[in-house]
Amino acid sequence: MKKKGLIVGAGGISWFAWKLLIVVFLTLTIVLCMLAFLSLQRFPPSHSQNPSSVSRRFLHPNWDSISFRGDPKVAFLFLARRNLPLDFLWKSFFENADADKISIYIHSEPGFVFNESTTRSSFFHDRQLNNSIKVAWGEASMIEAERLLLEQALKDPANRRFVLLSESCVPLYNFSYIYNYLRASPRSFVDSFLDKKERRYNPNMSPYIPMSKWRKGSQWITLIRRHAEVIADDDVVFPVFKMFCKRSHNCIPDEHYVQTLLAMHDGEGELERRTITYTEWNQSATNMDKSSWHPVTFSYEDAGAEQIKRIKDIDNVYYETEYRTEWCHNNSTQVPCFLFARKFSRGAAMRLLSEGVISQFDASAIMDPKQ
């Protein structure tokens, strides 16, 4: 009769040996978890640190102290499902810009190439990322695409401001105004507020993401270089989001990731806590059912001078969960809140151009004569 705990066969392992292996494995797992936890405790910088050192531990070596010649650039980062349907509007915008002050990057579907057959504007030729991924709305792939855009843009040391835009975004001012507005501020523009009502925080994120640092806000951000580096080099918070922040659990990663990450870096003092991209929400649902809110798409009829002026005249934003009114300032000077707006249809974009919001433009120039 064979008994448990005795060696089974010539090459067998005793029950005691198996127990020993299991104990060793569990011990190593606990030690590794403790090391990860201790490492995380060093993640947020202390208040005594120089703010410029926030992301130094995470920088690529060649990003830390590189200098550049010429003017600082604004990097325009486009998140597109495929092509850019408003490329004709952006063509007009970039034609009136100083080419030495702009950089353009596009995250589109894998394999899609911007060339003469896919875009009307040479500004977008070959500006797509070669390492793009398939993106699904409400999933971590969205913030992964944002990180890929930032990583690519950071390779150019002259890029000092980073503007994230959707394929349906339009500028509300000419390039000169937007450039000076962004350069005048030493802060990032990141819509960020406490998420007290929707309870999207997943307790499984703790201790890597403390609930006290959980934030919510608009996906459409504009960053200074230091904050762009923090996001591109993050290898602690992003994996936790990928695992625990899922649409199936009513957690939308792109509405929380950047805001929470910068809060964990004690970077909120370096933010203008508002977005500079206007979105109009369909609020036909009751306040108790905000889950059904969706961004309004502007049509030709919605894009007249009066409607655009209404957006440009907004000078404050109210945050209900914090009972906070964010007055829009730039270096202590009151300014319009928004430089961009979304979501605009092709017809709405044509009206913006034909009425000279961006520049004087004949909309018939882009019409297909066959139609």
Side-chain angles (χ1 to χ4, degrees), residues 233-267:
D233 288 329
D234 166 44
D235 58 3
V236 175
V237 176
F238 176 69
V240 178
F241 262 77
K242 197 170 184 179
M243 184 175 295
F244 295 116
C245 183
K246 297 179 181 294
R247 184 175 56 175
S248 57
H249 297 150
N250 193 34
C251 185
I252 310 300
D254 57 76
E255 294 182 357
H256 296 276
Y257 172 67
V258 170
Q259 292 80 359
T260 299
L261 177 62
L262 294 180
M264 291 181 66
H265 276 265
D266 290 343

Side-chain angles (χ1 to χ4, degrees), residues 101-319:
K101 295 180 179 180
I102 61 173
S103 298
I104 301 170
Y105 305 86
I106 310 169
H107 185 285
S108 183
E109 70 175 14
F112 188 84
V113 177
F114 283 81
N115 54 33
E116 291 180 355
S117 65
T118 58
T119 178
R120 302 171 187 268
S121 172
S122 60
F123 285 104
F124 298 117
H125 287 177
D126 298 317
R127 301 313 304 159
Q128 73 280 347
L129 301 189
N130 295 324
N131 60 341
S132 63
I133 61 172
K134 193 70 176 177
V135 173
W137 180 85
E139 302 295 343
S141 55
M142 183 72 78
I143 54 178
E144 187 173 357
E146 295 175 14
R147 284 158 47 87
L148 289 172
L149 281 166
L150 289 170
E151 183 177 329
Q152 185 66 26
L154 283 164
K155 292 179 181 179
D156 184 345
N159 287 333
R160 295 289 149 167
R161 296 293 183 272
F162 303 80
V163 183
L164 185 65
L165 299 161
S166 78
E167 61 190 29
S168 64
C169 279
V170 300
L172 297 174
Y173 299 89
N174 62 29
F175 174 78
S176 178
Y177 182 90
I178 290 175
Y179 182 85
N180 291 328
Y181 186 114
L182 297 179
R183 289 297 301 161
S185 175
R187 300 168 179 265
S188 292
F189 294 90
V190 177
D191 186 49
S192 180
F193 55 91
L194 299 177
D195 180 25
K196 292 182 177 180
K197 292 187 176 182
E198 297 186 26
R199 299 194 177 108
R200 292 180 175 182
Y201 178 78
N202 187 333
N204 290 323
M205 295 178 177
S206 178
Y208 301 98
I209 302 175
M211 188 173 182
S212 62
K213 299 295 185 180
W214 185 250
R215 300 289 186 271
K216 184 182 178 183
S218 170
Q219 173 186 7
W220 310 109
I221 55 178
T222 298
L223 303 170
I224 58 176
R225 187 175 180 92
R226 181 167 62 255
H227 293 156
E229 290 169 344
V230 170
I231 295 166
D233 288 329
D234 166 44
D235 58 3
V236 175
V237 176
F238 176 69
V240 178
F241 262 77
K242 197 170 184 179
M243 184 175 295
F244 295 116
C245 183
K246 297 179 181 294
R247 184 175 56 175
S248 57
H249 297 150
N250 193 34
C251 185
I252 310 300
D254 57 76
E255 294 182 357
H256 296 276
Y257 172 67
V258 170
Q259 292 80 359
T260 299
L261 177 62
L262 294 180
M264 291 181 66
H265 276 265
D266 290 343
E268 290 181 302
E270 300 177 342
L271 304 179
E272 294 288 350
R273 292 173 60 196
R274 59 184 177 88
T275 181
I276 54 174
T277 300
Y278 177 81
T279 303
E280 186 159 318
W281 294 92
N282 177 6
Q283 299 182 20
S284 58
T286 66
N287 287 335
M288 297 299 293
D289 187 25
K290 292 183 180 180
S291 61
S292 62
W293 286 17
H294 294 286
V296 172
T297 297
F298 286 82
S299 65
Y300 183 92
E301 292 75 19
D302 303 322
E306 184 177 341
Q307 291 93 328
I308 299 305
K309 182 179 184 302
R310 176 178 58 83
I311 298 173
K312 288 183 172 184
D313 286 346
I314 297 173
D315 60 5
N316 71 87
V317 181
Y318 180 68
Y319 291 89

Side-chain angles (χ1 to χ4, degrees), residues 18-38:
W18 275 110
K19 289 170 65 177
L20 181 62
L21 286 173
I22 292 171
V23 170
V24 170
F25 175 78
L26 291 175
T27 302
L28 287 173
T29 301
I30 293 171
V31 169
L32 290 173
C33 288
M34 290 180 65
L35 288 173
F37 177 77
L38 290 173

Side-chain angles (χ1 to χ4, degrees), residues 14-71:
S14 71
W15 178 244
F16 175 78
W18 275 110
K19 289 170 65 177
L20 181 62
L21 286 173
I22 292 171
V23 170
V24 170
F25 175 78
L26 291 175
T27 302
L28 287 173
T29 301
I30 293 171
V31 169
L32 290 173
C33 288
M34 290 180 65
L35 288 173
F37 177 77
L38 290 173
S39 174
L40 183 67
Q41 302 312 301
R42 293 163 46 211
F43 179 75
S46 68
H47 292 289
S48 62
Q49 284 182 294
N50 187 319
S52 65
S53 68
V54 167
S55 63
R56 294 300 185 230
R57 290 193 302 278
F58 305 94
L59 296 178
H60 297 303
N62 62 327
W63 288 354
D64 196 3
S65 57
I66 45 180
S67 59
F68 67 96
R69 295 180 179 179
D71 294 314

